Amino acid sequence: MSVARFYIFLVLTAIVCLGISLFGPGADPSQLVANASYGIIAFFVFFTSLIFQISERAVRSSNPFLFTRVFMVSISLKIVLLSMLVIILVKVLGIKPRELVLPLISSYLLFTILETWVLMKMAKVK
């Protein structure tokens, strides 16, 4: 997959997630929740683009297991970092967990689908 095509899909995914977070069913976000949604989406954009860049290098590596390791570590790291982000949003900013459900699940699901699709395409090329 070309870099330009990846970033086009990344931006489209971010726009869809933003639309779902702000205008989805039952979404009536306050300014604090909207800012938290922006933060969650920014986290996923940064993380997904970082994994793409690392995976591009791993695919060209002579180590046949490096790409698989990158894929597995990315899944684990994403869950840990996202959990820490949610804890910070809930404990420090005082956002109700119920208000974060829609932005969190939609972003996690859509960005994980994008990440998996792109990484599997990269693995096929190898």
Side-chain angles (χ1 to χ4, degrees), residues 54 57-59 61-71 126:
I54 292 170
R57 290 173 181 80
V59 132
S61 171
S62 60
N63 183 351
F65 302 108
L66 184 61
F67 182 78
T68 306
R69 288 181 189 153
V70 167
F71 185 70
K126 186 176 181 181

Side-chain angles (χ1 to χ4, degrees), residues 35-123:
N35 289 339
S37 297
Y38 301 144
I40 290 170
I41 292 169
F43 164 78
F44 278 112
V45 167
F46 173 75
F47 190 83
T48 305
S49 63
L50 181 67
I51 293 303
F52 176 75
Q53 296 297 324
I54 292 170
S55 297
E56 270 193 326
R57 290 173 181 80
V59 132
R60 291 180 261 151
S61 171
S62 60
N63 183 351
F65 302 108
L66 184 61
F67 182 78
T68 306
R69 288 181 189 153
V70 167
F71 185 70
M72 296 307 290
V73 167
S74 75
I75 293 169
S76 303
L77 192 60
K78 179 172 36 174
I79 291 171
V80 168
L81 292 175
L82 188 60
S83 299
M84 290 175 20
L85 178 65
V86 169
I87 289 170
I88 289 170
L89 291 173
V90 170
K91 295 292 182 184
V92 174
L93 298 178
I95 298 174
K96 296 176 188 167
R98 186 176 197 183
E99 295 174 328
L100 288 177
V101 170
L102 187 62
L104 191 62
I105 290 177
S106 64
S107 298
Y108 182 82
L109 192 62
L110 292 175
F111 278 101
T112 301
I113 289 169
L114 174 68
E115 179 183 337
T116 305
W117 178 63
V118 168
L119 292 178
M120 290 301 106
K121 280 191 155 296
M122 291 171 96

